[in-house]
Amino acid sequence: MYLSKLFIPTTKDVPAEAKIKSHQLMLRTGMIKQSSAGIYSWLPMGFKIMKKIEQIVREEQNLVGAQEMLMPTIQSSEIWKESGRYEDYGEEMLRIKDRQGREMLYGPTNEELVTDIFRSSIKSYKSLPQILYHIQWKFRDEIRPRFGVMRCREFYMKDAYSFDLNDDEAKKSYNKMFYSYIRTFNRLGLKAIPMAAETGPIGGDLSHEFIILADTGESQIYADKRIFEINLDNYDYSDNSLKKMRNDFSLMYAATDEKFNSNEFEKKVKKENQIKTKGIEVGHIFYFGDKYSKPLNGLIDTQDGKKVAVKMGSYGIGVSRLVGATIEANFNNNVMKWPKSISPFDVVIIPSISKNNNENIQKAEKIYKDLKKQNIDALLDDVDENMSNKFKKHDLIGIPYQIILGSKSVNDKIEFKELNYKSELLSLEDIKSKLKNK
Ligand code: 5CA
């Protein structure tokens, strides 16, 4: 892609209500545009990043045996009346009437709908366990939408639902998701801490929030920093290994202010290991047993001929929030550097352009074509402006690697730079293999 052709409406001015760096950066680099309070259009750059995050989330869900499906955004109020949450959900639920006067709603979450799908198709213990998920827009009429994509009204979420025969089996599904979440956030270049959490309107008595550290987070957190030393390579997908993993995590103190106990924290965690900071919730998992399957009659036949309510959990990841959260975790000293796994482009080619010399731009085009052949997704900055402005702009766009065609690149040595590091002179072959090995 040539930068001059890319729809990326960068702006210097940021509206005053953009208070945190991710919101400011997303507006300045044209990733999103607000259409009304807490509702955004995703422009090409922002959309591309969100889709890459979505794909990593999907791959990790598939690896633990979750099956992807797609449920609608608009739901009927009937099933919510059956579960009792139609009234409980209150004003956060956007309620709509269709032309027949039927009460509909824009789904804030899908426990009811997925239970309805389950109860009408699965009847026997033989078909269990099942984990179903979708990645779909949600709407919650938040009283104070703020911080850009971090707390909006319309947001993109991965929500998975597990169905098991009994508590023991259900915990195995819970552990699988727990593991999948840590792996997912690692692949996104984020260090997420799982924390025992309150269950709120979803319900149940077992729940973990996954929180990444950031000064701008909404949750106050307290943790033992040795939690970051737990190495996922020590576990595999077997039930016993995942049980051990959950246990190893639970031995490390980690709590949000809702569950924080100062005495316990001081007793369990040495001063030098204490983390006291703010964090952003990027995922939340729940085990609630038969809270929905009982009122909705999600029954299954057991091996000895009884009928029992299926045991369920639900598991959410804020896919659109993760775009903002990744910025909060990685934008420092006015330089944004996207993790390679979700960067909008693999590399940007920045030629110095002048009216009486088109040698650099020709060289840039040649390199661009060459990279393209190797499936390396490059952005070519063909915009006619001086190099210092270009560098400032690319510090914000945040593509982690740059090929710079200016005075330093002579003959077949090319200036190659990784953001936040010094540049080096390399052959094109070396650059290609660096980019391919990333
Ligand atoms: N049904 C459960 C699990 S599927 C559920 O809805 N959980 S949740 O309410 O915690 O939401 C899951 C994730 O969605 C959160 O961890 C957060 O990352 C994201 N999220 C929730 N509300 C918003 C919001 N208003 N704006 C952006 N992301 C949000």
Side-chain angles (χ1 to χ4, degrees), residues 137-387:
W137 293 96
K138 305 287 181 301
F139 195 95
R140 293 182 190 170
D141 203 352
E142 300 270 350
I143 189 155
R144 278 185 66 208
R146 59 198 169 127
F147 301 150
V149 302
M150 305 284 266
R151 182 160 296 282
C152 14
R153 296 198 296 163
E154 190 183 46
F155 60 96
Y156 202 42
M157 178 167 109
K158 184 285 298 177
D159 39 327
Y161 302 88
S162 62
F163 302 88
D164 284 281
L165 187 59
N166 55 42
D167 281 335
D168 282 349
E169 291 296 309
K171 298 254 160 69
K172 292 180 190 165
S173 297
Y174 190 89
N175 293 349
K176 274 188 194 162
M177 279 290 159
F178 191 105
Y179 184 60
S180 158
Y181 274 38
I182 306 269
R183 279 182 50 109
T184 302
F185 299 126
N186 282 354
R187 282 186 64 189
L188 297 173
L190 298 170
K191 282 182 171 168
I193 308 183
M195 304 207 178
E198 299 293 344
T199 52
I202 309 291
D205 51 15
L206 171 63
S207 169
H208 284 87
E209 286 175 349
F210 291 78
I211 297 204
I212 60 159
L213 309 183
D215 301 337
T216 43
E218 288 190 290
S219 326
Q220 180 66 42
I221 59 164
Y222 303 86
D224 185 333
K225 77 170 180 213
R226 291 174 306 159
I227 204 163
F228 291 129
E229 289 163 18
I230 297 178
N231 183 353
L232 284 199
D233 295 341
N234 295 336
Y235 313 98
D236 57 45
Y237 291 98
S238 69
D239 292 330
N240 281 340
S241 180
L242 295 182
K243 195 170 172 188
K244 178 165 187 324
M245 171 226 43
R246 258 287 300 292
N247 192 47
D248 291 347
F249 272 101
S250 70
L251 294 175
M252 296 288 169
Y253 193 91
T256 61
D257 40 1
E258 286 172 340
K259 292 218 162 184
F260 178 61
N261 175 323
S262 158
N263 286 339
E264 197 189 346
F265 185 56
E266 296 300 334
K267 217 168 86 191
K268 277 195 175 162
V269 189
K270 283 194 198 147
K271 271 266 173 298
E272 68 262 30
N273 291 332
Q274 292 181 354
I275 303 176
K276 296 180 193 171
T277 182
K278 295 253 161 114
I280 302 168
E281 181 201 312
V282 287
H284 200 160
I285 62 178
F286 303 82
Y287 177 58
F288 41 73
D290 56 14
K291 179 179 173 195
Y292 300 91
S293 52
K294 221 172 181 174
L296 286 163
N297 269 322
L299 302 180
I300 35 172
D301 300 322
T302 63
Q303 199 161 7
D304 46 13
K306 289 192 195 117
K307 282 202 187 304
V308 294
V310 70
K311 300 285 200 267
M312 290 174 61
S314 76
Y315 313 86
I317 290 184
V319 176
S320 53
R321 176 180 285 184
L322 270 167
V323 181
T326 306
I327 296 174
E328 293 298 330
N330 290 289
F331 186 28
N332 292 312
N333 304 323
N334 265 320
V335 179
M336 175 60 202
K337 186 180 179 188
W338 286 102
K340 289 161 219 156
S341 56
I342 56 170
S343 173
F345 294 92
D346 296 327
V347 61
V348 53
I349 309 167
I350 312 175
S352 158
I353 299 176
S354 67
K355 285 206 175 63
N356 36 24
N357 181 351
N358 56 9
E359 198 182 307
N360 284 332
I361 188 93
Q362 279 171 358
K363 209 165 159 184
E365 283 171 347
K366 205 164 156 270
I367 293 175
Y368 176 81
K369 279 193 194 128
D370 205 335
L371 295 178
K372 214 170 171 181
K373 265 193 223 145
Q374 309 270 320
N375 265 333
I376 295 171
D377 189 16
L379 178 69
L380 196 168
D381 185 349
D382 57 336
V383 178
D384 186 3
E385 64 182 343
N386 69 45
M387 288 298 261

